[in-house]
Amino acid sequence: MTETKQIIHPDKDRFLGDENPFEQMMSRFDVAASLLKLDPGLYKVLRNPEKQVIVSLPVMMDSGETEVFTGYRVLYNTSRGPAKGGIRFDLGVTLDEVRALAAWMTWKCAVVNIPFGGSKGGVICDPLSMSPGELERLTRRYTASLIAILGPDSDVPAPDVNTNERVMAWIMDTYSMHKRHTVTSVVTGKPLEMGGSAGRREATGRGCMIMAREALAHLGRSLKGSKVVVQGFGNVGSIAAQLLQQEGAVVVGVSDVSGGLYREGGLDVNDVIAWREAHRYVAGYPKADPVKNEEFLTLPCDVLLPAALENQITKRNAADIKAKVIIEGANGPTAAAADEILDRKGVFVVPDILANAGGVTVSYFEWVQDRDGYFWTEEVVNQRLEEIMVRSFRHVLEMSQKHQVNMRIGAYTLAIQRVAAVHKLRGMYA
Ligand code: GLU
């Protein structure tokens, strides 16, 4: 007989007090809601997720044993359109984190004004220790468990931390098998061969590069010669670093879970990517100095791009940050308590719900192309992404100037105003 084990969160109390991501989100939401004098009834509606699903996922492991994983999907708000948001596979996933990420997706889609609500999914697992077969069975079981929720008009997943095109292909296939016909638009971030969009893989990093360029231009500076430090070397960080370097920035630091690298004169990003591909991690790269992760964010630079996980910039290290501009490639990398410290230092922060919105923007393009059955060239995708990112930066900046607040509160205010407007128009169905 096979043994059945429950995978439990190894550190389930990791978000205590001021680091609970949902509380982080809500504390900014509250400031924006009071600036907007949000109707108290609507306030109550918008601070609650519409739907939260927890599923137990039995998976046959390669050893023949059965493991039971826990998965979540939260649909935060769907007033503006189908729920949209990625799925992450990580040991650190919690319901509060998924709920915060789903709320951020709602605000993010509203900031860039694409017709989606927000959702997020997560499975507590250690994907790096699982075989491709185990990951496939986990993904298919998760998809099947959520079959009543997913759909091109209801909830459309995408990649997030530790999920990729391969995982999206399994989701699309599982969903299509249940529906008895191929449904490409149920998921975005798919391989190009099966309805993916040109430019989607690079989109979040490209959006970050555009935001760095716009932020520097607003401060009367340029990307050319600006020193950049990038935390996280996954899909977002490595591509943002590559594009920033192509635009003339000097990437002086990069890091991943294995540690950081620093070279005052600039790293050759493509060379570091080649090293990481050969050695799995950036650590050990010979043409740079190693830096401990605790010291990495306070390295001297003009632009800091956190592109890893939540709560990296906190009240413990914010005062020591040297960058003039922060571009939040990750979701929630700055704890709410650090906002004020950064404001006092005059750091210009392009918040996550704007800075990393390039990914979901091209997800929107992918969904449109799938539904049309007509595909755009990479030039068209990039040009439309550029237009949306530049316009959204301007809208957030205008909102922050109007209310005399930082860019983060400007972005929340813009997003909540747009979501609230639709709620008012639709009215309440009771
Ligand atoms: N996971 C990405 C994000 O946090 C992309 C979401 C999507 O494309 O739906 O924005």
Side-chain angles (χ1 to χ4, degrees):
M1 203 177 115
T2 56
E3 193 190 339
T4 301
K5 273 199 231 149
Q6 176 82 28
I7 304 289
I8 46 170
H9 195 304
D11 180 17
K12 64 181 174 10
D13 292 330
R14 124 188 126 105
F15 297 131
L16 284 177
D18 69 348
E19 294 197 350
N20 176 307
F22 192 73
E23 297 303 323
Q24 306 285 316
M25 188 287 294
M26 275 315 301
S27 67
R28 280 77 169 243
F29 175 91
D30 283 348
V31 178
S34 83
L35 280 175
L36 289 167
K37 298 186 178 52
L38 190 68
D39 168 83
L42 206 44
Y43 174 82
K44 281 189 236 167
V45 172
L46 295 184
R47 65 166 298 149
N48 285 291
E50 274 176 26
K51 195 176 283 178
Q52 309 183 75
V53 182
I54 305 177
V55 286
S56 291
L57 307 166
V59 174
M60 179 74 81
M61 306 305 276
D62 292 348
S63 64
E65 287 182 20
T66 299
E67 296 281 17
V68 180
F69 297 86
T70 302
Y72 305 105
R73 187 77 180 163
V74 174
L75 274 59
Y76 196 82
N77 186 287
T78 58
S79 56
R80 290 170 40 86
K84 188 81 193 78
I87 294 170
R88 62 175 57 180
F89 286 174
D90 193 64
L91 274 177
V93 165
T94 66
L95 180 57
D96 257 349
E97 179 193 47
V98 177
R99 198 185 282 143
L101 290 160
W104 280 323
M105 286 310 302
T106 307
W107 314 139
K108 191 184 301 185
C109 292
V111 163
V112 288
N113 213 1
I114 56 178
F116 286 135
S119 56
K120 202 78 170 200
V123 178
I124 304 171
C125 65
D126 178 10
L128 299 179
S129 72
M130 293 169 69
S131 71
E134 290 168 345
L135 282 173
E136 176 171 357
R137 292 191 290 278
L138 175 64
T139 304
R140 289 188 184 277
R141 184 65 192 229
Y142 177 76
T143 308
S145 299
L146 296 174
I147 208 81
I149 292 171
L150 303 178
D153 293 314
S154 51
D155 184 23
V156 186
D160 198 76
V161 174
N162 292 331
T163 57
N164 54 19
E165 292 180 0
R166 191 75 272 249
V167 173
M168 299 308 115
W170 293 326
I171 294 176
M172 184 279 225
D173 182 69
T174 309
Y175 183 85
S176 298
M177 287 293 141
H178 280 258
K179 293 291 156 188
R180 300 281 183 257
H181 62 273
T182 294
V183 187
T184 52
S185 55
V186 67
V187 68
T188 61
K190 298 179 295 296
L192 260 185
E193 299 85 334
M194 50 181 284
S197 174
R200 173 62 186 88
R201 198 184 306 159
E202 298 79 17
T204 314
R206 179 173 292 279
C208 289
M209 178 277 284
I210 297 170
M211 291 299 92
R213 190 193 68 208
E214 295 301 299
L216 287 166
H218 169 67
L219 301 174
R221 305 176 53 163
S222 138
L223 264 184
K224 295 220 165 29
S226 283
K227 293 191 169 176
V228 183
V229 164
V230 182
Q231 183 202 34
F233 213 56
N235 180 254
V236 180
S238 64
I239 289 169
Q242 223 172 8
L243 293 172
L244 283 160
Q245 186 164 65
Q246 268 170 34
E247 297 298 311
V250 183
V251 179
V252 293
V254 299
S255 76
D256 63 15
V257 283
S258 68
L261 306 174
Y262 178 69
R263 188 165 178 273
E264 203 184 338
L267 296 153
D268 177 344
V269 175
N270 290 332
D271 200 39
V272 182
I273 291 175
W275 170 272
R276 195 266 320 265
E277 264 154 28
H279 300 88
R280 191 157 169 185
Y281 296 113
V282 299
Y285 179 72
K287 295 174 225 164
D289 299 325
V291 189
K292 289 203 193 85
N293 273 343
E294 307 83 79
E295 288 151 27
F296 188 74
L297 296 174
T298 55
L299 285 172
C301 62
D302 302 297
V303 178
L304 176 63
L305 204 158
L309 288 167
E310 298 96 83
N311 289 316
Q312 300 300 304
I313 302 172
T314 64
K315 59 181 180 224
R316 287 178 285 286
N317 61 10
D320 300 323
I321 287 198
K322 317 276 185 316
K324 316 279 175 306
V325 170
I326 296 178
I327 306 293
E328 295 187 338
N331 291 308
T334 307
D339 285 351
E340 206 187 309
I341 304 170
L342 297 173
D343 283 348
R344 270 205 303 275
K345 282 167 64 84
V347 182
F348 188 87
V349 180
V350 181
D352 45 9
I353 55 174
L354 170 62
N356 68 41
V360 75
T361 300
V362 177
S363 277
Y364 165 54
F365 298 161
E366 181 172 331
W367 179 81
V368 168
Q369 293 170 80
D370 287 342
R371 290 166 76 107
D372 255 8
Y374 180 75
F375 289 85
W376 314 346
T377 62
E378 192 168 349
E379 291 68 42
V380 170
V381 168
N382 287 346
Q383 182 221 322
R384 291 181 177 170
L385 171 64
E386 165 90 23
E387 274 168 30
I388 290 185
M389 294 306 293
V390 170
R391 185 174 63 217
S392 305
F393 180 89
R394 185 163 44 77
H395 287 161
V396 170
L397 185 63
E398 283 164 7
M399 202 56 141
S400 78
Q401 288 167 343
K402 178 175 164 199
H403 291 287
Q404 301 275 298
V405 290
N406 60 29
M407 288 287 279
R408 188 187 312 282
I409 300 300
Y412 273 73
T413 310
L414 178 66
I416 294 167
Q417 190 179 58
R418 285 184 173 152
V419 175
V422 174
H423 273 268
K424 279 187 203 133
L425 287 166
R426 289 180 61 159
M428 204 183 309
Y429 181 62

